[in-house]
Amino acid sequence: MLGYFLTNLQEVILGTKLAVLFPAIPLAIAADYYKLGRPWIFALSLLGLTPLAERVSFLTEQIAYFTGPTVGGLLNATCGNATELIIAILALYQNKIHVLKYSLLGSILSNLLLVLGTSLLCGGLANLKKEQRYDRKQADVNSLLLLLGLLCHMLPLMFRYAIGEGTATDFSTLEMSRASSIIMLIAYVAYIFFQLKTHRQLFDSQEEGDEEEEKVVIGFWSAFTWLAGMTIIIALLSEYVVGTIEAASDSWGISVSFLSIILLPIVGNAAEHAGSVIFALKNKLDISLGVALGSATQISMFVVPLCVVVGWTMNIQMDLDFSLLETGSLAFTIIITAFTLQDGTSHYLKGLLLFLCYIVIAACFFVHKIPQSQISEGKPFTGLFAA
């Protein structure tokens, strides 16, 4: 038993280059126990979440070998963005709606611009003498879903500016958001059925080139136990992050919007980012696109509407109105990404341009500040149109 445990420990804990960040987990817990500075707790929790997010992805892949492709696909769809989902639920529970919306928006932007951009950039530079091609069909499916999600985000925003501010408008926007969220969840379930059952052949290319390289290294129940334990630790560190983000913002002089939209998603998407770049370097763009677009679609069409529905059951006014600047950034990101992927070929310039778009948006939110009272109370921020 001891030898079996040590073998699992080596594979799960030491089987990643991010293992050097695992000591940040006990340090974050100790910092909270001894009431050290809240910015230190925030920083250590972020560092601790990085390897955990990568290992959760590894463990779900191990479990998928035993459960079969259908259940394994659903498991990967559920656990692939476990960090973002847990942070979102905790922010919702603490009624920090701005942190919730910012973190979810940032995850979509990160996947579409940072993860996909750096993948195309690195893949293009590593394969300068080769023409990099990919199957447009799966990119088109994900783009359509992202555009549907964008429509559901834009309608409450346009409705509020068309009708004007007021209690009746807020109620109508909330009701519209809840109805749209149900539609988004139905669309996501249809997408899962489409991907795993009726049109599986469109997505099989993501797995063909990788079958020989991957193998089972731990058993089913071992992987399940490690996954449950790491999920609990992620929940604990996520609670630290959500509870200390305002203190870190004040201490470091960095806006909450920048920390939530840029910093948190980089940590949560560490596994997707690394995997996508590695596959792009090997000229396997179908897998890279599946990782980046699939994760963004999951956040937009599953996690966001799920938070609205969960908030509904908790009597919390979580809606799909992400304000003008945030929704505009999302709209341009989706449109730029759709145009980038429309011809089925790639080169390093496309990746560079996507990456530069991400830098511009990051600079925008670095200087974007909202009153602390609105963050604490969860009031909507209307920017130039505020009364």
Side-chain angles (χ1 to χ4, degrees):
M1 290 295 294
L2 179 60
Y4 184 70
F5 173 76
L6 292 177
T7 301
N8 284 340
L9 185 67
Q10 182 177 1
E11 293 291 345
V12 176
I13 302 299
L14 303 179
T16 173
K17 295 180 180 179
L18 296 175
V20 294
L21 298 179
F22 274 117
I25 298 174
L27 290 176
I29 297 174
D32 178 69
Y33 180 80
Y34 290 106
K35 307 298 181 183
L36 298 182
R38 296 172 72 80
W40 281 103
I41 300 175
F42 178 80
L44 291 170
S45 298
L46 277 185
L47 290 176
L49 283 171
T50 304
L52 288 173
E54 193 275 336
R55 290 289 85 184
V56 165
S57 177
F58 163 77
L59 291 170
T60 53
E61 291 175 359
Q62 294 296 307
I63 294 176
Y65 286 112
F66 298 95
T67 58
T70 302
V71 178
L74 290 173
L75 184 64
N76 283 321
T78 304
C79 299
N81 289 296
T83 304
E84 292 92 333
L85 180 59
I86 292 174
I87 290 177
I89 296 299
L90 288 172
L92 184 65
Y93 179 75
Q94 298 182 23
N95 203 24
K96 295 186 177 182
I97 304 301
H98 272 84
V99 174
L100 167 60
K101 291 182 177 180
Y102 282 152
S103 63
L104 296 179
L105 171 68
S107 184
I108 300 173
L109 300 182
S110 174
N111 277 293
L112 294 181
L113 297 180
L114 180 62
V115 176
L116 183 59
T118 53
S119 298
L120 297 182
L121 174 60
C122 295
L125 293 175
N127 299 274
L128 282 174
K129 297 182 180 181
K130 300 178 182 178
E131 183 181 31
Q132 289 195 293
R133 305 188 65 86
Y134 53 85
D135 187 0
R136 285 180 50 193
K137 297 184 181 66
Q138 62 157 311
D140 290 343
V141 170
N142 283 282
S143 296
L144 285 172
L145 283 167
L146 289 170
L147 287 170
L148 172 60
L150 176 61
L151 175 64
C152 294
H153 283 288
M154 291 188 67
L155 287 177
L157 177 69
M158 293 187 295
F159 181 83
R160 179 158 60 86
Y161 285 117
I163 304 301
E165 299 291 340
T167 304
T169 302
D170 293 340
F171 178 78
S172 299
T173 300
L174 184 62
E175 292 296 302
M176 184 189 306
S177 298
R178 290 170 175 173
S180 298
S181 295
I182 296 174
I183 299 299
M184 293 166 74
L185 289 173
I186 294 174
Y188 185 75
V189 172
Y191 164 68
I192 293 296
F193 186 76
F194 178 86
Q195 179 181 4
L196 299 180
K197 283 290 185 182
T198 61
H199 288 70
R200 184 178 177 82
Q201 68 276 7
L202 296 181
F203 301 87
D204 280 343
S205 58
Q206 301 178 24
E207 303 170 0
E208 289 175 356
D210 195 44
E211 290 178 350
E212 298 179 357
E213 300 176 8
E214 296 183 351
K215 60 180 181 179
V216 179
V217 294
I218 60 176
F220 172 81
W221 288 110
S222 297
F224 185 83
T225 303
W226 280 104
L227 180 62
M230 287 192 172
T231 302
I232 294 174
I233 299 175
I234 288 175
L236 177 63
L237 295 184
S238 298
E239 185 176 5
Y240 291 162
V241 167
V242 173
T244 59
I245 188 170
E246 290 96 346
S249 173
D250 293 338
S251 177
W252 298 342
I254 302 176
S255 64
V256 173
S257 59
F258 181 83
L259 292 177
S260 303
I261 293 178
I262 305 301
L263 205 55
L264 289 184
I266 289 177
V267 172
N269 293 328
E272 291 93 339
H273 198 167
S276 181
V277 171
I278 290 172
F279 286 123
L281 290 173
K282 297 178 180 179
N283 201 19
K284 298 177 180 178
L285 284 188
D286 283 323
I287 304 178
S288 292
L289 263 64
V291 171
L293 294 178
S295 183
T297 302
Q298 183 184 83
I299 294 293
S300 176
M301 299 299 294
F302 174 68
V303 179
V304 172
L306 180 65
C307 288
V308 175
V309 173
V310 172
W312 188 3
T313 63
M314 299 169 62
N315 200 27
I316 295 177
Q317 296 185 358
M318 166 66 184
D319 56 30
L320 295 177
D321 182 1
F322 278 34
S323 299
L324 183 61
L325 178 61
E326 291 79 0
T327 306
S329 299
L330 177 63
F332 278 107
T333 294
I334 294 175
I335 293 172
I336 291 171
T337 302
F339 270 100
T340 301
L341 302 177
Q342 65 179 341
D343 62 350
T345 63
S346 176
H347 46 74
Y348 71 89
L349 184 59
K350 287 186 176 182
L352 177 62
L353 294 178
L354 289 178
F355 179 74
L356 292 178
C357 288
Y358 187 75
I359 297 299
V360 170
I361 292 177
C364 173
F365 286 105
F366 184 78
V367 299
H368 176 244
K369 298 181 182 296
I370 60 177
Q372 186 69 28
S373 60
Q374 290 190 3
I375 297 177
S376 302
E377 298 173 11
K379 296 180 179 179
F381 178 66
T382 55
L384 298 175
F385 297 91

